[in-house]
Amino acid sequence: MLDLTSNKSVERKFLRINPLAGCQPLGAMYASLGIHGCMPHSHGTSGCSRFQKTMLQRHFRQSFKVTTSVLKESAAIFGGESNLQTAVRNIIDLYDPEIIAVHTTCLSEIIGDDIKACLHNFPLPEGKYMIHANTPSFSGSHITGFSNMVASAIQYLARKTGGPNNKICILPGFVNPGDMKEIKRISFLMGVEHILFPDTCGVFGQRGVEKINKYPAGGTKVVDIIDLGNYQKTIALGKYTTEAAAVQLKNQCGVPMELMDLPIGIEATDRFIMELIKSSLRDVPPELNEEREQVIDIILDAQSYYYNKKVALFGDPDLIIALAEFLAGIGMVPRYAVSGTPGSYFEERMQQIFKKYKIAGMAKSPADLFELQQWIKNDRVDLLMGGTHGKLLSRAVDVPLVRIGFPVMDRHVHSYLPIVGYRGATRILEMVLNAFMDRLDREYPENDLLFI
Amino acid sequence: MSLTEYNPTKRQVLTGEREISSLIMDIPGVLCKHGCSYMACRGLVLAPISGIFIITHGPVGCSCYSWGGNRIRQRSANMEDNYSRYSFSTNMQESDIIFGGEEKLKQTIKEAVDIFHPPVIAICSTCPIGLIGDDVQSIAQAAEQEYGIKVLSFACEGFRSIPGYRLANQGIIEHVIGTGEKNVGKYPVNIIGEFYRGQRADEITRILNRIGYDIVAVLMGDGSYDDLKTAQQARLNLFNSNKAVADLVDVLHEKFGTGWLKFNFIGLDNIINSLKNMADFFKAPELVSKTDILIAEELAQIQDVLNECKNKLKDKTAVIFEDEFVSLQYQALLKDLEINPVTIGNELFCAPGQNEISFMSATESVPGGPAKKKETMRYDTDLEHYHVTIPSRLFDKIKIKSKLSLNNDNGTYSRTAYNNILIPHLSRKETEYLLKILEPDIFFPGIKEIFTGVGADSSFCFFQADQYRFDYGGFQGAIHFARDLLMNMRMAVWHKNIAPWKIKSHD
């Protein structure tokens, strides 16, 4: 398994081996699914939407509807605008969505289709909306695409119509529906009136099949997105996924923004709750106090199993940053952190964390799993944390893998359970401890194997 | 050169090959499950061949999605050339799109050679390459001379109408097959088709080896590059593919004089006929007797369990709404269990797009011009007066269940294959109506249908083998299929289960 990776570092500037990130349309597709009654439309070849849909489908274990413009050679020569118009007409006739979210691909970006003009000229029925985001695959990653789609949804829809109300807009970033649900629960417990955008709770995980022109109950309603302009504040969780959208809302409607890390782990969740307190009329409820104490109790109880263990983290930058801070805070050593998404903030922020906890860590973005494998071959770690793509690496270097983030294509249930908040911290701790203890159970000599 | 007498055989084997003209083009804005040229070229043909170092020339996304998704199992002789677990790409950035990616590709090939020393490199282009016009072919030729290795290039940009598997197969026939020699057995055969993968490939190999055949090379299935070079040495090509590559075997016949037979490893009749046809082809008495012994042994092994399953599944009705290939396979499998399926709206017999768009709302785009309404007329099926011919066995069963007046004599448009009924040209809405009348015990929805609502209101169970990692090939396949059917029927109770507090009491 991955036997050809040598531990000698090699000069490599162009060849990308075992990539860590998908392309922009993937994130845009996921973001559009977080809008209620939305049909994501991929303005590209049929293969693009198939590839990205397959990956999301494997992660969430649920099928969903995505349409495509089916661009062919003729579109490459004459432009794909007529295809887009046909597509929009067919979508409205057949599937009757409330809103169509068009995202581009490398093909349509290079052809240079003017989507905005094309959609502008289209006679749209009353009460229907259409938005688009430019998501060229040759820059950024799926995280960039997610960010672009959220930002352009705000650009198209959000309007300031009156004075600020007492509601808060929370931009959760590229997280699972389980995490979004937990963020909503915490905000609800804090007594904060809020809207999550995008919100994929109730979009995935529905039993049975749906009607062809019915949409899942979940998702942020279009009226709520329009109303975002009147909100009191935006809390943006994760710089890479939400900053663009929060800035867009600030510039467009003057909604003040607060940029934070994803609330993974104790410190980040504390900060999130402190931010919520500012808009809340309530004290922190006992439920949250209890959950926080529980996490701390677990950390103290299980210390000996994870203390000073080295971890390699890979995946999406916002997740890795928050996760590294949590793990470093409880005494683990995030030795390596790699992300496939380009951007210098990741390395800067990781260096801050390394410095704070005096860790000799290495962080790189954009990097790939081949590089991580070479690092691990030279200096081993005790645990891998990241998506399914680390499966091969895990087998190759014989280090247990804790599946977290996106994509996790070979496990069920994970997307419904949170990793954010105090409950999420408990779950992360459980996963990490189980990985260590399962391994101990397997490797201990027989006479050392105890029930305690 | 060798001489062999060739007798066409009469035993029927159902396979799924089709004409390229029948490929259904998708309509913009309609749910589709089709992939692209790159997907087929890299994933279907090149990825299962061990020893080939595939570089995706384009942005990183395509190489990420096509990494490790297929259920393939490479069989490479030496582990040094096993690149199947890696994904390589040139990771094009915006500047490469503007200034061209040729330099980047050259450097990437250099780095690949420096780090991995592969014996053969294949370059697959993605969408941007065709538009910015990188001369991939000449770079490949230059690299071939510079590094002394084989470099193949495939212009499989995603927007191309020509399917990627054709491009890839053409490339392999032109540049690879016939470049090597090896010692082959007495009865050398090639396998062509994507059915030869994973567990099923193991089973096929076991059975063919037991009879005494030697598998020389495999195209589109789990094979190796070194074997492919010697594929011309086989005397028989075993062919079964769901893709429009039926002319592939003709090309091989023209170029190397290799005979070919249809081969299907799903459904007992198909397997037995395939094996017997092969024995007939070589005209060797030892093959015939060995084949007969093997078939008898394998059948004896599964007989008891199969009979038990048949008893349990007696008097069940099945309805298939799959695409043409999958439904052919299900038909064969269901036949082993003596269930007669009703096949609805088989794509093969539908005009393009008719499955997706039921009425006249579809519009077709004209390149460069404004979209036009489709002009062809189509009438909705009048289900009240629609006549369906159903074989008497099935007829009685359905008649008992429903009050539909099925007239056995006044049948109009239906066709029997494998003693099942086929109802073509039904739209989604009509299908749903028919399902309500037929009340099948088990329903096989296509990939599209599971989330687009056919039969959503019905309480029968859905059969979804896609979500479950088992393969129904081989003699054991019939039993596995029966067990899965039983499992699905048992689990179906949960489909319509509602919480007790939601049921209104009638007191």
Side-chain angles (χ1 to χ4, degrees), chain A residues 340-358:
Chain A
T341 305
S344 58
Y345 175 76
F346 177 73
E347 286 178 35
E348 286 163 21
R349 188 66 218 281
M350 286 307 298
Q351 289 305 334
Q352 276 177 20
I353 294 168
F354 291 151
K355 208 174 159 192
K356 186 178 171 192
Y357 293 98
K358 298 191 176 56

Side-chain angles (χ1 to χ4, degrees), chain B residues 152 205 244 248 297 310 340 409 502:
Chain B
L152 306 164
T205 317
L248 193 69
E297 277 179 19
K310 270 184 202 167
N340 292 333
D409 303 323
K502 282 187 183 165

Side-chain angles (χ1 to χ4, degrees), chain B residues 310 313-318 334-335 337-341 389-400 406 408 418-421:
Chain B
K310 270 184 202 167
L313 290 166
K314 214 161 64 182
D315 297 331
K316 302 285 184 201
T317 322
L334 287 167
K335 198 209 159 209
L337 300 167
E338 291 171 11
I339 300 173
N340 292 333
T389 319
I390 288 176
S392 54
R393 245 183 65 122
L394 204 61
F395 176 75
D396 294 338
K397 234 190 286 178
I398 293 170
K399 203 173 163 189
I400 296 163
L406 297 164
N408 212 8
Y418 256 162
N419 206 23
N420 66 344
I421 61 164

Side-chain angles (χ1 to χ4, degrees), chain A residues 1-5 10-19 21-23 26 39 41 45-47 50-53 55 58 61 63-74 76 78 82-83 86-87 89-91 93-95 106-107 110-111 137-140 207-212 369-370 373 389 392 410, chain B residues 25-36 38-39 59-61 63-67 69 79-80 82-83 85-94 97 104 107-108 111-112 115-116 127-128 131 158-161 357 361-369 371 373 428 432 450-453 456-457 494-495 497:
Chain A
M1 189 83 41
L2 301 183
D3 297 323
L4 303 178
T5 311
V10 279
E11 182 80 9
R12 183 163 61 93
K13 270 164 79 183
F14 302 98
L15 183 64
R16 177 57 55 99
I17 311 170
N18 298 358
C23 60
L26 173 70
M39 176 65 90
H41 179 78
T45 68
S46 51
R50 165 99 186 258
F51 262 148
Q52 290 130 20
K53 193 184 136 196
M55 196 167 222
R58 283 176 178 162
R61 301 270 160 186
S63 206
F64 53 87
K65 292 194 278 275
V66 172
T67 54
T68 166
S69 295
V70 204
L71 300 184
K72 290 279 170 201
E73 284 100 332
S74 58
F78 301 111
S82 71
N83 276 46
T86 315
R89 192 168 295 135
N90 279 336
I91 292 169
D93 282 356
L94 291 168
Y95 310 118
C106 37
L107 180 62
I110 298 172
I111 297 171
S137 321
F138 42 77
S139 68
R207 188 186 58 178
V209 289
E210 17 164 310
K211 284 278 180 188
I212 192 158
L369 279 171
F370 181 79
Q373 190 184 359
H389 287 146
L392 307 170
D410 57 346
Chain B
M25 293 301 258
D26 285 303
I27 299 169
V30 176
L31 298 175
C32 81
K33 59 177 180 182
H34 290 165
C36 63
Y38 164 80
M39 205 180 231
V60 75
S63 77
C64 179
Y65 305 134
S66 57
W67 175 29
M79 289 309 286
E80 280 172 14
N82 193 351
Y83 308 105
R85 295 301 182 168
Y86 290 91
S87 156
F88 307 99
S89 80
T90 52
N91 188 23
M92 279 188 117
Q93 295 298 312
E94 204 152 356
I97 303 289
K104 194 162 199 177
Q107 296 296 330
T108 309
E111 283 177 357
I115 299 171
F116 293 97
C127 294
L131 292 172
F159 58 82
R160 281 187 192 271
S161 304
I357 300 188
S361 56
T363 48
E364 265 179 358
S365 70
V366 181
K373 277 271 176 198
R428 218 174 276 280
E432 208 154 311
I450 56 164
F451 60 93
T452 53
D457 287 343
W494 292 103
H495 273 281
N497 185 293

Side-chain angles (χ1 to χ4, degrees), chain A residues 159-174:
Chain A
R159 292 287 173 272
K160 190 171 178 66
T161 51
N165 55 21
N166 61 345
K167 288 187 190 166
I168 279 188
C169 163
I170 301 175
L171 303 171
F174 200 116

Side-chain angles (χ1 to χ4, degrees), chain B residues 365-390:
Chain B
S365 70
V366 181
K372 264 189 202 166
K373 277 271 176 198
K374 204 174 172 182
E375 279 171 8
T376 44
M377 287 291 283
R378 185 178 172 271
Y379 294 101
D380 300 346
T381 311
D382 183 358
L383 280 171
E384 269 183 42
H385 304 105
Y386 188 78
H387 301 289
V388 183
T389 319
I390 288 176

